[in-house]
Amino acid sequence: MDTPTPARSVGAVTPQRATFSEPLQLRCGRSIAGYELVYETYGSLNADRSNAILVCHALNASHHVAGFYANDPDNVGWWDNIIGPGKPVDTDRFFVIGVNNLGGCFGSTGPMSIDPATGRPYGASFPLVTVEDWVAAQARLADHLGIERFAAVMGGSLGAMQSLSWTRQFPDRLGHALVIACAPNLSAQNIAFNEVARQAILTDPEFHGGDYYAHGATPVRGLRVARMVGHITYLSDDAMASKFGRQLRNGSIGYGFEPEFQIESYLRYQGGKFAEYFDANTYLRITKALDYFDPAFESGGDLAKALATARAAFLVVSFTTDWRFAPERSREIVQALLRNQLDVTYGEIDAPHGHDAFLLDDPRYHALVRAYLERIDAEVAGGVR
Amino acid sequence: MDTPTPARSVGAVTPQRATFSEPLQLRCGRSIAGYELVYETYGSLNADRSNAILVCHALNASHHVAGFYANDPDNVGWWDNIIGPGKPVDTDRFFVIGVNNLGGCFGSTGPMSIDPATGRPYGASFPLVTVEDWVAAQARLADHLGIERFAAVMGGSLGAMQSLSWTRQFPDRLGHALVIACAPNLSAQNIAFNEVARQAILTDPEFHGGDYYAHGATPVRGLRVARMVGHITYLSDDAMASKFGRQLRNGSIGYGFEPEFQIESYLRYQGGKFAEYFDANTYLRITKALDYFDPAFESGGDLAKALATARAAFLVVSFTTDWRFAPERSREIVQALLRNQLDVTYGEIDAPHGHDAFLLDDPRYHALVRAYLERIDAEVAGGVR
């Protein structure tokens, strides 16, 4: 295209559903007999099926990555600011796919789904799925869509762990991996926060050992606390200070346990909203998938060795105030890739927002993603790869 | 003393009890009719009553600061490593006092105590007490002990906030304030962590609105989660990484919700232990006292103005890896003191342990406290002040 398109929304979108009847072997040793994945696509697959980008979601997101629903126009995709016609991930050029992962709670088979073997929700019996399992399931979705090779696989945070895992599990099936706000594994502190969240849920009397559906119950209190603690780790100390500081809701202290500071109201609101739509069993499993992710484990901690079979080119992006997955963790990934002589672009964005920066419309960050993908586009168009 | 004494324990100690029948007016607008404070003392008060040091406790500690109990020799005071004969706070020279604050759960009047007006535990009706209230109650204890003026008031974390408040509330009643691992107020992030802890407790069904004693219940689950989240903020990311890293308890992943990583076991253990001995109503109130502390609030955020009436000399100490109350927060205090031309010694200790460093036996930190107090001792002995 010669003249740049003004950025706009992909418009109204419709989720689709793919059914897989072949059992999927999982890392935990169990297998799942059959499953469904819900996904959305934006843009058009080109004739040689070479322009597809898979977007992997993080902890609490879904297949609804861009656009909106005709019957629910306020329900805008979680990465809509970066994906659309004329946007950094340009759907005039790329065919973009969002998918709700296995074990999710937005339509793909997960703990809330009916187990065909029992006729009841899986609940506690749903297996613990890993990043590697998600990628294996995503590869089957690619088969289903007739996509042998992705132009790129991209994600932020836990989504970026999936991008990274794609380059190990299916090195020939992607040209580029976009690894944004990532870490090669969770630190003790990261695991600790996850464990607090899990304990809040697991010890909620309404959890009923994970089979709360049968009791008509929901561990709302546990989910709220879990989300509150998670939320703190997504924001930088500075971002919280500038957004909330010590602002009081009513100008003075009330000497009670109702919310007094704005930050308290904000967290309670976020926690409450989350508990309304997210499934506790899914939350528990996603935090475990985060804890387990550690590609270098089998090579004794040698990440370069773990990534030795990767063939993709990489864009790695970190954010200076991200204390959940700090830039130094991204640099570990970059160094491991460089030791393998891989093609790596690394951007460390000076952004104030903490981990959440990967979801926000930071001009330097978006410009970097745009420029990187324009290069892929040229390769796709010119048939370089 | 000419030859240094080898450092040793103060030995077996016995808590004492002081009863105050005058009502105490509290910042919340309510007053408490009468109250008791439990305290311990180490060393001897000199003839002119000029060698007393008051030690203020932080979130979960008590009056049991040094020594041990004859019938429970493993129960060693929480700051025993710094207080004793020949130790940095040398009880051969100083008369040291530890006191359980009003609202506490170790013997001083608090939510667990019987309200004489009803014959039942105060529970939810116990007022929200502040740092200023604690200091006012401590001043009455000083009166009771015949101490007009402390050689020093010292504390770490929330205890340091009390030291700082002493210099504002009773500027003539202390010679020195030791303000260790402190902040002039809580940041939005600090408040956020406290609010998570409170929500875990307040929403525990066993909390019964704070009157759980009457139900023979304890909000154990909430207390455990509260302590776990608190504990994360006391340790540095690096300390957790070097102490626990990603170590697995059994060498491999179990794909379940039992503790798998060492850090999970550690946190659950800490949470469980805490829930056995700490009172939830006290915990709620102490986190609120932390949130409320903000001496500069009344002067529109001008900390120098808030400290304009202080006359003490100061030792301010911070620790490089403390991300709860980072060194920059201590520097705010130092700058405010310097703007008032006060005598300030500031030490920023390069310690790996995070906020908990103030409780640990770091040689540079202890040497600094020792050297500072030796100077006071000279003043006391020489009658400088």
Side-chain angles (χ1 to χ4, degrees), chain A residues 186 188-189 195 198-199 203 221 245-246 253 255-256 260 264 268 288 291-292 294, chain B residues 28 186 188 195 198-199 203 221 245-246 253 255-256 260 264 268 288 291-292 294 323:
Chain A
L186 260 57
Q189 190 187 68
E195 175 64 2
R198 281 191 295 264
Q199 283 298 307
T203 65
R221 291 176 289 245
R246 294 181 51 82
I253 281 171
Y255 297 101
E260 301 188 279
E264 296 177 292
R268 289 200 200 182
K288 275 292 186 182
D291 289 4
Y292 292 157
D294 189 12
Chain B
C28 65
L186 261 56
E195 174 65 2
R198 282 191 294 266
Q199 284 297 307
T203 66
R221 290 177 288 244
R246 295 182 51 83
I253 281 171
Y255 296 102
E260 301 188 279
E264 295 176 292
R268 288 200 200 182
K288 275 292 186 183
D291 289 3
Y292 293 157
D294 189 12
W323 62 279

mmCIF file of all heavy atoms in Angstrom, chain A residues 186 188-189 195 198-199 203 221 245-246 253 255-256 260 264 268 288 291-292 294, chain B residues 28 186 188 195 198-199 203 221 245-246 253 255-256 260 264 268 288 291-292 294 323:
data_model
loop_
_atom_site.group_PDB
_atom_site.id
_atom_site.type_symbol
_atom_site.label_atom_id
_atom_site.label_comp_id
_atom_site.label_asym_id
_atom_site.label_seq_id
_atom_site.Cartn_x
_atom_site.Cartn_y
_atom_site.Cartn_z
ATOM 1 N N LEU A 186 9.340 -17.777 36.084
ATOM 2 C CA LEU A 186 8.925 -16.926 37.202
ATOM 3 C C LEU A 186 9.977 -16.946 38.308
ATOM 4 O O LEU A 186 10.561 -17.990 38.600
ATOM 5 C CB LEU A 186 7.579 -17.410 37.769
ATOM 6 C CG LEU A 186 6.360 -16.613 37.282
ATOM 7 C CD1 LEU A 186 6.274 -16.636 35.779
ATOM 8 C CD2 LEU A 186 5.080 -17.138 37.895
ATOM 9 N N ALA A 188 11.073 -16.446 42.392
ATOM 10 C CA ALA A 188 10.439 -16.854 43.652
ATOM 11 C C ALA A 188 9.358 -15.849 44.049
ATOM 12 O O ALA A 188 8.273 -16.227 44.510
ATOM 13 C CB ALA A 188 11.493 -16.973 44.757
ATOM 14 N N GLN A 189 9.643 -14.565 43.857
ATOM 15 C CA GLN A 189 8.652 -13.550 44.229
ATOM 16 C C GLN A 189 7.396 -13.663 43.355
ATOM 17 O O GLN A 189 6.276 -13.552 43.848
ATOM 18 C CB GLN A 189 9.254 -12.146 44.104
ATOM 19 C CG GLN A 189 8.367 -11.075 44.702
ATOM 20 C CD GLN A 189 8.889 -9.676 44.423
ATOM 21 O OE1 GLN A 189 8.897 -9.209 43.293
ATOM 22 N NE2 GLN A 189 9.339 -9.010 45.467
ATOM 23 N N GLU A 195 0.963 -17.769 44.593
ATOM 24 C CA GLU A 195 0.547 -18.670 45.668
ATOM 25 C C GLU A 195 -0.422 -17.971 46.632
ATOM 26 O O GLU A 195 -1.375 -18.595 47.118
ATOM 27 C CB GLU A 195 1.775 -19.208 46.409
ATOM 28 C CG GLU A 195 1.498 -20.059 47.624
ATOM 29 C CD GLU A 195 0.767 -21.383 47.356
ATOM 30 O OE1 GLU A 195 0.481 -21.687 46.177
ATOM 31 O OE2 GLU A 195 0.473 -22.088 48.326
ATOM 32 N N ARG A 198 -3.696 -18.075 44.884
ATOM 33 C CA ARG A 198 -4.272 -19.428 44.928
ATOM 34 C C ARG A 198 -4.817 -19.756 46.303
ATOM 35 O O ARG A 198 -5.910 -20.315 46.443
ATOM 36 C CB ARG A 198 -3.220 -20.464 44.531
ATOM 37 C CG ARG A 198 -3.004 -20.572 43.044
ATOM 38 C CD ARG A 198 -2.164 -21.801 42.704
ATOM 39 N NE ARG A 198 -0.819 -21.709 43.230
ATOM 40 C CZ ARG A 198 0.235 -21.287 42.541
ATOM 41 N NH1 ARG A 198 0.096 -20.862 41.293
ATOM 42 N NH2 ARG A 198 1.426 -21.261 43.087
ATOM 43 N N GLN A 199 -4.057 -19.405 47.345
ATOM 44 C CA GLN A 199 -4.521 -19.714 48.700
ATOM 45 C C GLN A 199 -5.823 -18.985 49.006
ATOM 46 O O GLN A 199 -6.692 -19.521 49.687
ATOM 47 C CB GLN A 199 -3.448 -19.362 49.730
ATOM 48 C CG GLN A 199 -2.322 -20.380 49.783
ATOM 49 C CD GLN A 199 -2.809 -21.757 50.189
ATOM 50 O OE1 GLN A 199 -3.466 -21.917 51.211
ATOM 51 N NE2 GLN A 199 -2.548 -22.752 49.369
ATOM 52 N N THR A 203 -8.855 -21.626 49.799
ATOM 53 C CA THR A 203 -9.373 -21.670 51.172
ATOM 54 C C THR A 203 -10.732 -20.976 51.307
ATOM 55 O O THR A 203 -11.292 -20.945 52.395
ATOM 56 C CB THR A 203 -8.388 -21.012 52.168
ATOM 57 O OG1 THR A 203 -8.267 -19.620 51.872
ATOM 58 C CG2 THR A 203 -7.018 -21.666 52.114
ATOM 59 N N ARG A 221 -15.079 -14.336 47.078
ATOM 60 C CA ARG A 221 -14.151 -13.648 47.977
ATOM 61 C C ARG A 221 -12.708 -13.955 47.629
ATOM 62 O O ARG A 221 -11.855 -13.065 47.590
ATOM 63 C CB ARG A 221 -14.432 -14.049 49.428
ATOM 64 C CG ARG A 221 -15.746 -13.514 49.956
ATOM 65 C CD ARG A 221 -15.990 -14.027 51.367
ATOM 66 N NE ARG A 221 -16.308 -15.445 51.318
ATOM 67 C CZ ARG A 221 -17.482 -15.966 51.667
ATOM 68 N NH1 ARG A 221 -18.437 -15.175 52.131
ATOM 69 N NH2 ARG A 221 -17.708 -17.248 51.588
ATOM 70 N N GLY A 245 -1.917 8.010 44.490
ATOM 71 C CA GLY A 245 -1.214 8.611 45.614
ATOM 72 C C GLY A 245 -1.918 8.266 46.917
ATOM 73 O O GLY A 245 -2.326 7.119 47.129
ATOM 74 N N ARG A 246 -2.063 9.250 47.782
ATOM 75 C CA ARG A 246 -2.775 9.054 49.047
ATOM 76 C C ARG A 246 -4.139 9.763 49.015
ATOM 77 O O ARG A 246 -4.696 10.110 50.057
ATOM 78 C CB ARG A 246 -1.923 9.579 50.211
ATOM 79 C CG ARG A 246 -0.630 8.786 50.419
ATOM 80 C CD ARG A 246 0.184 9.298 51.593
ATOM 81 N NE ARG A 246 -0.592 9.424 52.806
ATOM 82 C CZ ARG A 246 -0.872 8.408 53.652
ATOM 83 N NH1 ARG A 246 -0.409 7.213 53.404
ATOM 84 N NH2 ARG A 246 -1.589 8.629 54.730
ATOM 85 N N ILE A 253 -10.289 11.082 56.730
ATOM 86 C CA ILE A 253 -10.222 9.700 57.178
ATOM 87 C C ILE A 253 -11.458 9.365 57.990
ATOM 88 O O ILE A 253 -11.937 10.186 58.782
ATOM 89 C CB ILE A 253 -8.913 9.520 57.976
ATOM 90 C CG1 ILE A 253 -7.756 9.385 56.977
ATOM 91 C CG2 ILE A 253 -8.980 8.345 58.922
ATOM 92 C CD1 ILE A 253 -6.398 9.406 57.612
ATOM 93 N N TYR A 255 -11.857 6.376 59.841
ATOM 94 C CA TYR A 255 -11.579 5.447 60.940
ATOM 95 C C TYR A 255 -12.504 4.234 60.928
ATOM 96 O O TYR A 255 -13.163 3.920 61.917
ATOM 97 C CB TYR A 255 -11.628 6.175 62.284
ATOM 98 C CG TYR A 255 -10.557 7.242 62.400
ATOM 99 C CD1 TYR A 255 -10.859 8.584 62.213
ATOM 100 C CD2 TYR A 255 -9.228 6.892 62.645
ATOM 101 C CE1 TYR A 255 -9.854 9.558 62.295
ATOM 102 C CE2 TYR A 255 -8.230 7.855 62.720
ATOM 103 C CZ TYR A 255 -8.567 9.190 62.548
ATOM 104 O OH TYR A 255 -7.593 10.141 62.622
ATOM 105 N N GLY A 256 -12.570 3.597 59.778
ATOM 106 C CA GLY A 256 -13.351 2.379 59.644
ATOM 107 C C GLY A 256 -12.797 1.550 58.505
ATOM 108 O O GLY A 256 -11.753 1.894 57.936
ATOM 109 N N GLU A 260 -11.320 4.094 52.061
ATOM 110 C CA GLU A 260 -11.060 5.494 52.408
ATOM 111 C C GLU A 260 -10.142 6.147 51.379
ATOM 112 O O GLU A 260 -10.343 7.277 50.991
ATOM 113 C CB GLU A 260 -10.421 5.562 53.790
ATOM 114 C CG GLU A 260 -11.299 4.951 54.853
ATOM 115 C CD GLU A 260 -10.750 5.197 56.241
ATOM 116 O OE1 GLU A 260 -9.833 4.455 56.663
ATOM 117 O OE2 GLU A 260 -11.247 6.128 56.890
ATOM 118 N N GLU A 264 -7.867 2.027 47.435
ATOM 119 C CA GLU A 264 -8.687 0.939 47.982
ATOM 120 C C GLU A 264 -9.950 0.724 47.146
ATOM 121 O O GLU A 264 -10.313 -0.413 46.820
ATOM 122 C CB GLU A 264 -9.076 1.250 49.437
ATOM 123 C CG GLU A 264 -7.900 1.317 50.389
ATOM 124 C CD GLU A 264 -8.333 1.707 51.809
ATOM 125 O OE1 GLU A 264 -8.770 2.865 52.011
ATOM 126 O OE2 GLU A 264 -8.247 0.860 52.691
ATOM 127 N N ARG A 268 -10.792 -2.705 45.058
ATOM 128 C CA ARG A 268 -12.024 -3.448 45.338
ATOM 129 C C ARG A 268 -12.885 -3.549 44.084
ATOM 130 O O ARG A 268 -13.469 -4.590 43.797
ATOM 131 C CB ARG A 268 -12.826 -2.774 46.463
ATOM 132 C CG ARG A 268 -12.169 -2.939 47.804
ATOM 133 C CD ARG A 268 -13.180 -2.716 48.922
ATOM 134 N NE ARG A 268 -12.515 -2.411 50.171
ATOM 135 C CZ ARG A 268 -13.147 -2.212 51.316
ATOM 136 N NH1 ARG A 268 -14.458 -2.268 51.383
ATOM 137 N NH2 ARG A 268 -12.472 -1.938 52.415
ATOM 138 N N LYS A 288 -0.721 -21.653 37.739
ATOM 139 C CA LYS A 288 0.185 -22.813 37.772
ATOM 140 C C LYS A 288 0.978 -22.919 36.462
ATOM 141 O O LYS A 288 2.166 -23.254 36.468
ATOM 142 C CB LYS A 288 -0.610 -24.102 38.009
ATOM 143 C CG LYS A 288 -0.865 -24.382 39.474
ATOM 144 C CD LYS A 288 0.452 -24.727 40.184
ATOM 145 C CE LYS A 288 0.244 -25.147 41.610
ATOM 146 N NZ LYS A 288 1.515 -25.420 42.301
ATOM 147 N N ASP A 291 3.776 -20.591 36.796
ATOM 148 C CA ASP A 291 4.813 -21.099 37.702
ATOM 149 C C ASP A 291 5.660 -22.176 37.016
ATOM 150 O O ASP A 291 6.874 -22.245 37.222
ATOM 151 C CB ASP A 291 4.185 -21.724 38.956
ATOM 152 C CG ASP A 291 3.559 -20.702 39.894
ATOM 153 O OD1 ASP A 291 3.538 -19.507 39.549
ATOM 154 O OD2 ASP A 291 3.075 -21.113 40.960
ATOM 155 N N TYR A 292 4.993 -23.040 36.249
ATOM 156 C CA TYR A 292 5.693 -24.195 35.673
ATOM 157 C C TYR A 292 6.587 -23.805 34.500
ATOM 158 O O TYR A 292 7.553 -24.511 34.208
ATOM 159 C CB TYR A 292 4.682 -25.238 35.189
ATOM 160 C CG TYR A 292 3.894 -25.920 36.283
ATOM 161 C CD1 TYR A 292 2.657 -26.512 36.005
ATOM 162 C CD2 TYR A 292 4.374 -26.012 37.587
ATOM 163 C CE1 TYR A 292 1.925 -27.161 36.992
ATOM 164 C CE2 TYR A 292 3.645 -26.653 38.582
ATOM 165 C CZ TYR A 292 2.421 -27.225 38.275
ATOM 166 O OH TYR A 292 1.692 -27.857 39.247
ATOM 167 N N ASP A 294 9.288 -22.936 32.277
ATOM 168 C CA ASP A 294 10.722 -22.841 32.549
ATOM 169 C C ASP A 294 11.477 -23.637 31.488
ATOM 170 O O ASP A 294 12.011 -24.717 31.759
ATOM 171 C CB ASP A 294 11.012 -23.408 33.956
ATOM 172 C CG ASP A 294 12.446 -23.147 34.401
ATOM 173 O OD1 ASP A 294 13.149 -22.347 33.740
ATOM 174 O OD2 ASP A 294 12.864 -23.749 35.403
ATOM 175 N N CYS B 28 -9.356 9.262 66.490
ATOM 176 C CA CYS B 28 -10.591 8.963 65.764
ATOM 177 C C CYS B 28 -11.787 9.712 66.341
ATOM 178 O O CYS B 28 -12.879 9.661 65.783
ATOM 179 C CB CYS B 28 -10.858 7.465 65.772
ATOM 180 S SG CYS B 28 -11.181 6.789 67.411
ATOM 181 N N LEU B 186 2.716 6.015 53.878
ATOM 182 C CA LEU B 186 2.623 4.877 52.977
ATOM 183 C C LEU B 186 2.318 5.350 51.560
ATOM 184 O O LEU B 186 1.523 6.269 51.361
ATOM 185 C CB LEU B 186 1.534 3.904 53.443
ATOM 186 C CG LEU B 186 2.044 2.703 54.233
ATOM 187 C CD1 LEU B 186 2.850 3.139 55.432
ATOM 188 C CD2 LEU B 186 0.922 1.771 54.639
ATOM 189 N N ALA B 188 0.785 4.584 47.658
ATOM 190 C CA ALA B 188 -0.420 3.897 47.178
ATOM 191 C C ALA B 188 -0.183 2.390 47.132
ATOM 192 O O ALA B 188 -1.056 1.602 47.505
ATOM 193 C CB ALA B 188 -0.805 4.421 45.798
ATOM 194 N N GLU B 195 -4.541 -3.273 51.998
ATOM 195 C CA GLU B 195 -5.959 -3.469 51.714
ATOM 196 C C GLU B 195 -6.234 -4.912 51.281
ATOM 197 O O GLU B 195 -7.273 -5.484 51.636
ATOM 198 C CB GLU B 195 -6.410 -2.462 50.648
ATOM 199 C CG GLU B 195 -7.826 -2.626 50.153
ATOM 200 C CD GLU B 195 -8.906 -2.388 51.197
ATOM 201 O OE1 GLU B 195 -8.590 -2.050 52.349
ATOM 202 O OE2 GLU B 195 -10.087 -2.570 50.863
ATOM 203 N N ARG B 198 -6.338 -6.813 54.468
ATOM 204 C CA ARG B 198 -7.592 -6.556 55.190
ATOM 205 C C ARG B 198 -8.774 -7.263 54.538
ATOM 206 O O ARG B 198 -9.618 -7.850 55.223
ATOM 207 C CB ARG B 198 -7.872 -5.048 55.264
ATOM 208 C CG ARG B 198 -7.055 -4.331 56.313
ATOM 209 C CD ARG B 198 -7.568 -2.910 56.517
ATOM 210 N NE ARG B 198 -7.390 -2.069 55.348
ATOM 211 C CZ ARG B 198 -6.344 -1.267 55.147
ATOM 212 N NH1 ARG B 198 -5.370 -1.198 56.035
ATOM 213 N NH2 ARG B 198 -6.272 -0.529 54.064
ATOM 214 N N GLN B 199 -8.837 -7.200 53.217
ATOM 215 C CA GLN B 199 -9.964 -7.844 52.541
ATOM 216 C C GLN B 199 -9.960 -9.348 52.775
ATOM 217 O O GLN B 199 -11.018 -9.968 52.896
ATOM 218 C CB GLN B 199 -9.933 -7.526 51.041
ATOM 219 C CG GLN B 199 -10.405 -6.121 50.726
ATOM 220 C CD GLN B 199 -11.857 -5.916 51.127
ATOM 221 O OE1 GLN B 199 -12.735 -6.677 50.734
ATOM 222 N NE2 GLN B 199 -12.120 -4.910 51.948
ATOM 223 N N THR B 203 -13.371 -10.536 54.706
ATOM 224 C CA THR B 203 -14.313 -11.377 53.955
ATOM 225 C C THR B 203 -14.260 -12.838 54.378
ATOM 226 O O THR B 203 -15.006 -13.652 53.846
ATOM 227 C CB THR B 203 -14.061 -11.277 52.427
ATOM 228 O OG1 THR B 203 -12.772 -11.840 52.127
ATOM 229 C CG2 THR B 203 -14.116 -9.843 51.941
ATOM 230 N N ARG B 221 -8.098 -18.393 57.834
ATOM 231 C CA ARG B 221 -7.783 -18.340 56.397
ATOM 232 C C ARG B 221 -7.382 -16.939 55.980
ATOM 233 O O ARG B 221 -6.417 -16.741 55.261
ATOM 234 C CB ARG B 221 -8.980 -18.810 55.579
ATOM 235 C CG ARG B 221 -9.251 -20.296 55.724
ATOM 236 C CD ARG B 221 -10.492 -20.678 54.948
ATOM 237 N NE ARG B 221 -11.671 -20.152 55.642
ATOM 238 C CZ ARG B 221 -12.617 -20.916 56.174
ATOM 239 N NH1 ARG B 221 -12.560 -22.217 56.063
ATOM 240 N NH2 ARG B 221 -13.646 -20.377 56.791
ATOM 241 N N GLY B 245 14.678 -19.342 45.179
ATOM 242 C CA GLY B 245 14.721 -19.486 43.729
ATOM 243 C C GLY B 245 13.521 -20.269 43.239
ATOM 244 O O GLY B 245 12.404 -20.048 43.688
ATOM 245 N N ARG B 246 13.769 -21.194 42.337
ATOM 246 C CA ARG B 246 12.701 -22.057 41.826
ATOM 247 C C ARG B 246 12.841 -23.480 42.368
ATOM 248 O O ARG B 246 12.366 -24.449 41.752
ATOM 249 C CB ARG B 246 12.723 -22.061 40.292
ATOM 250 C CG ARG B 246 12.402 -20.694 39.677
ATOM 251 C CD ARG B 246 12.388 -20.736 38.165
ATOM 252 N NE ARG B 246 11.563 -21.794 37.628
ATOM 253 C CZ ARG B 246 10.244 -21.741 37.452
ATOM 254 N NH1 ARG B 246 9.575 -20.647 37.763
ATOM 255 N NH2 ARG B 246 9.596 -22.762 36.957
ATOM 256 N N ILE B 253 7.761 -31.525 39.406
ATOM 257 C CA ILE B 253 6.455 -30.873 39.484
ATOM 258 C C ILE B 253 5.367 -31.924 39.657
ATOM 259 O O ILE B 253 5.422 -32.988 39.036
ATOM 260 C CB ILE B 253 6.270 -30.027 38.202
ATOM 261 C CG1 ILE B 253 7.060 -28.719 38.378
ATOM 262 C CG2 ILE B 253 4.817 -29.759 37.910
ATOM 263 C CD1 ILE B 253 7.151 -27.887 37.137
ATOM 264 N N TYR B 255 1.901 -31.218 39.449
ATOM 265 C CA TYR B 255 0.662 -30.869 38.763
ATOM 266 C C TYR B 255 -0.544 -30.934 39.697
ATOM 267 O O TYR B 255 -1.541 -31.600 39.397
ATOM 268 C CB TYR B 255 0.465 -31.747 37.518
ATOM 269 C CG TYR B 255 1.554 -31.522 36.488
ATOM 270 C CD1 TYR B 255 2.606 -32.429 36.355
ATOM 271 C CD2 TYR B 255 1.544 -30.387 35.684
ATOM 272 C CE1 TYR B 255 3.615 -32.215 35.432
ATOM 273 C CE2 TYR B 255 2.555 -30.158 34.751
ATOM 274 C CZ TYR B 255 3.587 -31.083 34.629
ATOM 275 O OH TYR B 255 4.584 -30.864 33.724
ATOM 276 N N GLY B 256 -0.419 -30.269 40.816
ATOM 277 C CA GLY B 256 -1.535 -30.180 41.743
ATOM 278 C C GLY B 256 -1.378 -28.933 42.585
ATOM 279 O O GLY B 256 -0.483 -28.116 42.336
ATOM 280 N N GLU B 260 4.595 -27.019 45.860
ATOM 281 C CA GLU B 260 5.563 -27.688 44.990
ATOM 282 C C GLU B 260 6.913 -26.986 45.053
ATOM 283 O O GLU B 260 7.949 -27.620 45.086
ATOM 284 C CB GLU B 260 5.059 -27.677 43.557
ATOM 285 C CG GLU B 260 3.720 -28.378 43.426
ATOM 286 C CD GLU B 260 3.312 -28.547 41.984
ATOM 287 O OE1 GLU B 260 2.790 -27.577 41.389
ATOM 288 O OE2 GLU B 260 3.526 -29.636 41.453
ATOM 289 N N GLU B 264 6.592 -21.701 48.187
ATOM 290 C CA GLU B 264 5.191 -21.926 48.571
ATOM 291 C C GLU B 264 5.099 -22.514 49.986
ATOM 292 O O GLU B 264 4.289 -22.078 50.801
ATOM 293 C CB GLU B 264 4.516 -22.869 47.569
ATOM 294 C CG GLU B 264 4.390 -22.298 46.172
ATOM 295 C CD GLU B 264 3.796 -23.326 45.202
ATOM 296 O OE1 GLU B 264 4.459 -24.346 44.900
ATOM 297 O OE2 GLU B 264 2.663 -23.105 44.749
ATOM 298 N N ARG B 268 3.356 -20.650 53.179
ATOM 299 C CA ARG B 268 2.243 -21.300 53.892
ATOM 300 C C ARG B 268 2.604 -21.507 55.361
ATOM 301 O O ARG B 268 1.776 -21.314 56.248
ATOM 302 C CB ARG B 268 1.906 -22.648 53.249
ATOM 303 C CG ARG B 268 1.231 -22.504 51.911
ATOM 304 C CD ARG B 268 0.495 -23.780 51.553
ATOM 305 N NE ARG B 268 0.237 -23.837 50.121
ATOM 306 C CZ ARG B 268 -0.428 -24.817 49.514
ATOM 307 N NH1 ARG B 268 -0.904 -25.834 50.219
ATOM 308 N NH2 ARG B 268 -0.620 -24.790 48.209
ATOM 309 N N LYS B 288 -4.270 -0.252 59.455
ATOM 310 C CA LYS B 288 -4.913 1.067 59.312
ATOM 311 C C LYS B 288 -4.036 2.172 59.911
ATOM 312 O O LYS B 288 -3.935 3.265 59.347
ATOM 313 C CB LYS B 288 -6.287 1.066 59.991
ATOM 314 C CG LYS B 288 -7.391 0.534 59.098
ATOM 315 C CD LYS B 288 -7.649 1.502 57.938
ATOM 316 C CE LYS B 288 -8.837 1.103 57.096
ATOM 317 N NZ LYS B 288 -9.007 2.019 55.936
ATOM 318 N N ASP B 291 -1.561 2.985 57.345
ATOM 319 C CA ASP B 291 -2.133 3.761 56.240
ATOM 320 C C ASP B 291 -2.335 5.227 56.640
ATOM 321 O O ASP B 291 -2.125 6.135 55.840
ATOM 322 C CB ASP B 291 -3.502 3.203 55.832
ATOM 323 C CG ASP B 291 -3.419 1.862 55.130
ATOM 324 O OD1 ASP B 291 -2.309 1.312 54.997
ATOM 325 O OD2 ASP B 291 -4.482 1.349 54.729
ATOM 326 N N TYR B 292 -2.797 5.433 57.870
ATOM 327 C CA TYR B 292 -3.157 6.778 58.315
ATOM 328 C C TYR B 292 -1.939 7.653 58.603
ATOM 329 O O TYR B 292 -2.029 8.879 58.546
ATOM 330 C CB TYR B 292 -4.015 6.720 59.589
ATOM 331 C CG TYR B 292 -5.395 6.113 59.415
ATOM 332 C CD1 TYR B 292 -6.069 5.561 60.505
ATOM 333 C CD2 TYR B 292 -6.041 6.108 58.175
ATOM 334 C CE1 TYR B 292 -7.340 5.020 60.370
ATOM 335 C CE2 TYR B 292 -7.309 5.558 58.036
ATOM 336 C CZ TYR B 292 -7.954 5.009 59.132
ATOM 337 O OH TYR B 292 -9.211 4.479 59.011
ATOM 338 N N ASP B 294 0.783 10.010 58.516
ATOM 339 C CA ASP B 294 1.137 10.978 57.476
ATOM 340 C C ASP B 294 1.333 12.346 58.134
ATOM 341 O O ASP B 294 0.511 13.245 57.985
ATOM 342 C CB ASP B 294 0.014 11.049 56.427
ATOM 343 C CG ASP B 294 0.409 11.871 55.212
ATOM 344 O OD1 ASP B 294 1.610 12.185 55.069
ATOM 345 O OD2 ASP B 294 -0.489 12.189 54.403
ATOM 346 N N TRP B 323 12.167 -2.534 49.318
ATOM 347 C CA TRP B 323 11.262 -1.953 48.312
ATOM 348 C C TRP B 323 9.919 -1.596 48.937
ATOM 349 O O TRP B 323 9.088 -0.951 48.301
ATOM 350 C CB TRP B 323 11.092 -2.876 47.110
ATOM 351 C CG TRP B 323 10.490 -4.223 47.381
ATOM 352 C CD1 TRP B 323 11.139 -5.318 47.863
ATOM 353 C CD2 TRP B 323 9.133 -4.627 47.169
ATOM 354 N NE1 TRP B 323 10.270 -6.378 47.966
ATOM 355 C CE2 TRP B 323 9.037 -5.995 47.546
ATOM 356 C CE3 TRP B 323 7.991 -3.989 46.692
ATOM 357 C CZ2 TRP B 323 7.841 -6.718 47.467
ATOM 358 C CZ3 TRP B 323 6.801 -4.710 46.616
ATOM 359 C CH2 TRP B 323 6.741 -6.059 46.997
#
